[in-house]
Amino acid sequence: MTSHAVNATEELAAFLRARRERLDPLALGLPLRRQARRTPGLRREEVAELAGVSVDYIVRLEQGRGLRPSADVVEGLARALRLAPAERAYLFDLAQQRPRNADKPATTPAPPLAQLVTDLSPLPAMLMNHRYDILAWNREMTGLLLNFDTLPAARRNAMWLCLMHPDMREFYVDRERVVREGIAHLRAAWAAHPEDRELTDLIAEFIARDEDFARWWAEQDINVNGRGKKMMRHPDVGLITVNFEVLMPLQDPDQRLLIFRAADDRSRSALDRLRTR
C-alpha cells in the first residue's frame, strides 16, 4: 500500500494463495493422500486440475510473475476456488477482465439523487461514492449520526468517521462487524478503481493508524453487503437498531444511496424523538 495504484499482479497472487489455503479438500470430495499436507487448503496441483490449467501456470500466478489470465482462465479459477459472487467479481477486476469506467469517481451528488435524499425524510438517508465519501444527507441522518456540515469535506467519509472520529469510535455496538464489512467493500472498490489515488491513500492511512483495520485488511475478505442491520449507541436516546438498504442507481452506478429504517418499536420511538428535537 505504499504506491499510488493497485499492484494487481501482487494482489492477484496473494488473493489466489489465500483462497486456495482456506479450502477443505474433504469438503470438496478430493481423495486423501498418504503424504501429509504441509500447508492448509488445496495443493496447487489440485487447483490446477479443477481450473483446467497447468500446475506451472498456477505457480507463476501465485508468485506474481506478471501473467494476465484470460477471462476463461479467471472463470476456471473462480470455479475451482469456490468463490462467492463478490469474490468472483473481485478476481475479474484484478485480472483486468472487466470493462473499466473511464469517468472520474463521483465527488458531488447527482442533483436528482440529492433531491431524493431530502425527499426520503423522515427516513435517515445519505448518498456516498464507492470509497464511502458522503456526498449528500438529510437532517434525519445528521440527527442520528453527526452534523456533517461541521466536518472538513476531506473527512466526510463514513469509514474515516467510524475509525477516527472520537464520537463515532464506540458508536456501533458491533463495531468489529461494521468495520469488517466496510473493509470488504473497500477492498472490492480498490480493485475496481485502480486509478483512484485518493482511495489508495485513504486505505494506506487506515492501515497506518488503526491496528484492527490493518489486521482485518490483511485477511483478504471481499464482500459487497447491500442489506443488513446495525445497532447504535446514541448519546441522547440510547440504543437504536436500524435495518439498512444500499441502492445503486443505474444512471449513476458510482453513487450509493443508504437508507435506514427502525428495526423495532423502541428504535422507532428513539428516531421520532431525535426528529422532533
Side-chain angles (χ1 to χ4, degrees):
M1 294 304 302
T2 58
S3 68
H4 287 299
V6 175
N7 189 325
T9 300
E10 292 182 3
E11 178 63 17
L12 176 63
F15 184 67
L16 290 175
R17 288 194 304 270
R19 288 302 174 264
R20 176 173 62 82
E21 292 171 358
R22 77 174 183 177
L23 291 175
D24 182 0
L26 292 178
L28 298 182
L30 296 176
L32 292 174
R33 304 289 180 89
R34 291 183 178 180
Q35 183 181 1
R37 293 177 181 266
R38 297 180 180 178
T39 59
L42 300 188
R43 292 186 174 91
R44 293 190 178 99
E45 294 86 347
E46 293 165 334
V47 172
E49 183 177 354
L50 291 171
V53 297
S54 70
V55 177
D56 180 64
Y57 194 84
I58 296 294
V59 171
R60 286 185 289 160
L61 278 176
E62 290 194 0
Q63 290 178 347
R65 288 159 61 180
L67 297 181
R68 183 179 176 184
S70 68
D72 288 341
V73 170
V74 175
E75 184 61 47
L77 290 169
R79 184 174 58 252
L81 296 172
R82 304 297 196 268
L83 298 185
E87 294 173 326
R88 178 181 176 277
Y90 181 64
L91 184 63
F92 270 84
D93 281 331
L94 289 175
Q96 301 177 39
Q97 289 296 345
R98 293 206 301 182
R100 300 290 183 188
N101 185 353
D103 297 334
K104 293 183 178 180
T107 56
T108 58
L113 295 177
Q115 183 61 50
L116 177 59
V117 169
T118 300
D119 293 344
L120 280 168
S121 296
L123 295 177
M126 65 183 180
L127 190 69
M128 299 178 289
N129 63 13
H130 66 271
R131 58 183 176 233
Y132 282 145
D133 291 337
I134 302 169
L135 309 180
W137 56 88
N138 59 17
R139 67 184 187 89
E140 285 81 6
M141 187 61 83
T142 62
L144 177 60
L145 299 182
L146 49 80
N147 187 353
F148 303 120
D149 284 316
T150 64
L151 299 172
R155 292 314 185 195
R156 292 174 190 161
N157 178 278
M159 180 59 84
W160 188 92
L161 294 174
C162 184
L163 294 173
M164 307 296 178
H165 196 286
D167 294 338
M168 296 292 294
R169 281 193 59 85
E170 304 302 328
F171 184 74
Y172 294 104
V173 174
D174 190 357
R175 182 176 182 273
E176 178 177 341
R177 180 178 61 82
V178 171
V179 174
R180 280 181 175 274
E181 289 179 353
I183 288 173
H185 164 84
L186 283 181
R187 181 173 280 281
W190 179 62
H193 298 268
E195 76 294 336
D196 188 352
R197 294 187 176 187
E198 289 190 35
L199 175 58
T200 301
D201 291 343
L202 190 67
I203 294 170
E205 178 187 0
F206 294 157
I207 290 174
R209 297 183 58 185
D210 191 283
E211 293 181 358
D212 289 336
F213 186 98
R215 184 172 67 257
W216 296 330
W217 175 268
E219 293 181 5
Q220 301 273 341
D221 286 336
I222 308 297
N223 190 31
V224 180
N225 188 14
R227 178 179 296 137
K229 183 176 292 187
K230 294 180 180 179
M231 183 176 290
M232 309 166 178
R233 300 184 186 93
H234 196 279
D236 296 327
V237 296
L239 290 178
I240 299 177
T241 304
V242 297
N243 296 314
F244 70 87
E245 195 81 27
V246 181
L247 307 178
M248 296 176 60
L250 289 175
Q251 197 79 1
D252 299 281
D254 189 47
Q255 303 190 27
R256 291 150 173 78
L257 180 63
L258 172 64
I259 306 169
F260 286 150
R261 294 176 294 115
D264 50 51
D265 291 340
R266 181 189 65 182
S267 300
R268 188 172 297 106
S269 175
L271 290 176
D272 288 341
R273 295 199 303 275
L274 286 175
R275 191 162 51 247
T276 58
R277 284 172 49 188

